[in-house]
Amino acid sequence: HVQLVESGGGEVQAGGSLRLSCSTSRKTFYNNCMGWFCQIPGQEREAIASIGTGVGLTAYHDSVKGRSTISHDNAKNTVYLQMNSLKPEDTAVYYCAADTHGWRGSYCRSTLFGYWGQGTQVTVS
C-alpha cells in the first residue's frame, strides 16, 4: 500500500508564503516522478509542479511559475512545494502525487501519476 503524507497547508494572507511537504516510502520516492496538483471545488484537479527525484528535473504550470519552487530531499524521501506571493485564487486543496512506474525518461508525465496523498487545504485571504 503506497502512502503519500502531505503537510503544511493552512490559511495565509495574500502575499504570504507556505511550504507543503509530501513524505513517502523510499521505494515510491527513489528515481521517480512526483508532483503537486491543486483542485478548486467544482473544477478538475490540475497539475502545477513536478520533479524527477532522480534527475532533479522540474516543471511548472504557468499559474505558479516564478512564485513556486518544487524540491526534494533524498534523505527524507520528501518532496516540497514552496509557494510565495500567494493569491486568493491559489485557494484550493493541494495533492501530492507520484508516478506508479518510476522514472520513465525525458520528463515527468503528470497524467501517469497514480499514487495520491489525502490532500491539504490552502486558503489565501
Side-chain angles (χ1 to χ4, degrees), residues 33-45:
C33 278
M34 295 185 66
W36 290 93
F37 293 66
C38 68
Q39 187 169 27
I40 298 169
Q43 298 188 18
E44 291 189 359
R45 199 171 294 185

Side-chain angles (χ1 to χ4, degrees), residues 15 17 42 49 51 54 56 70 80 91-92 96 101 103:
S17 299
I51 186 166
I70 188 169
Y80 303 97
T91 296
C96 176
H101 189 270
W103 176 250

Side-chain angles (χ1 to χ4, degrees), residues 1-7 21-25 28-29 32-36 77 79 95-99 113-119:
H1 177 64
V2 175
Q3 278 193 309
L4 285 76
V5 181
E6 299 131 336
S7 62
S21 301
C22 174
S23 296
T24 187
S25 68
T28 300
F29 178 87
N32 198 2
C33 278
M34 295 185 66
W36 290 93
N77 301 327
V79 171
Y95 296 90
C96 176
D99 196 318
F113 287 11
Y115 298 139
W116 295 91
Q118 78 283 2

Side-chain angles (χ1 to χ4, degrees), residues 55-69:
V55 298
L57 182 67
T58 60
Y60 298 91
H61 189 276
D62 285 346
S63 64
V64 301
K65 199 173 292 183
R67 299 190 295 125
S68 296
T69 303

Side-chain angles (χ1 to χ4, degrees), residues 75-86:
K76 297 181 178 180
N77 301 327
T78 298
V79 171
Y80 303 97
L81 183 68
Q82 176 69 43
M83 300 189 294
N84 301 320
S85 302
L86 284 162

Side-chain angles (χ1 to χ4, degrees), residues 9 11 18 26-27 30 37 41 46 50 52 64 68 70 74-75 82 94 100 104 110 112 114 117 122:
E11 293 188 28
L18 282 175
R26 183 65 178 169
K27 181 178 179 181
Y30 181 76
F37 293 66
E46 185 173 58
S50 65
V64 301
S68 296
I70 188 169
N74 288 327
Q82 176 69 43
Y94 285 73
T100 57
R104 301 174 190 257
S110 59
L112 299 178
V122 171

